[in-house]
Amino acid sequence: MSTKSVLSLYTPAELRKLYQENPALFDQLAQEAIKNACTARTPEQSLKLQQLQWTIDMQLRKAKTPVARMHAMENIFYGKIYGEDGQLSKLVSTCKKLVQAVTGEKAEPGSGKEPRKLKYVG
């Protein structure tokens, strides 16, 4: 039976009880679940997932309380979206390239010049 199906046999209350009564088994199941979650279609993708998990583990290890761990996770995930090289930045960059390709104009950052609006020719 796969780890995923073993973990799915537990309710959240049962997992909490397992953590309290048998933390070693809980940790073993959690590690197996993480290992399975980091398995991807290619070795390169798997390595990238393992590196991300290692980064998360190291940041969580620094946190001393459950609230601090929650804040660390929050910062990791918000960084992936709003960070300097986050998904939002990539989306904006892609949109700018699309506008440039469609209009033929380049929107210079900070110049105040917006690309012209397209007319509906319907």
Side-chain angles (χ1 to χ4, degrees), residues 32-73:
E32 289 174 13
I34 290 170
K35 182 179 176 183
N36 287 344
C38 290
T39 302
R41 291 184 180 165
T42 67
E44 293 82 14
Q45 290 171 332
S46 292
L47 179 60
K48 193 171 185 175
L49 291 171
Q50 291 166 356
Q51 289 169 337
L52 175 61
Q53 184 61 47
W54 184 85
T55 301
I56 291 170
D57 288 342
M58 292 303 108
Q59 290 185 28
L60 292 180
R61 197 170 284 166
K62 291 185 222 175
K64 302 297 181 202
T65 66
V67 171
R69 290 173 60 92
M70 181 192 69
H71 285 297
M73 289 298 294

Side-chain angles (χ1 to χ4, degrees), residues 104-116:
E105 294 182 16
K106 187 171 184 181
E108 297 295 328
S111 69
K113 180 182 176 188
E114 294 291 324
R116 66 186 159 139

Side-chain angles (χ1 to χ4, degrees), residues 1-25:
M1 187 179 279
S2 74
T3 302
K4 182 176 180 179
S5 57
V6 168
L7 286 178
S8 67
L9 296 175
Y10 293 95
T11 66
E14 291 171 334
L15 285 172
R16 185 173 32 257
K17 185 176 180 182
L18 178 63
Y19 177 76
Q20 292 169 346
E21 294 176 358
N22 193 346
L25 178 58

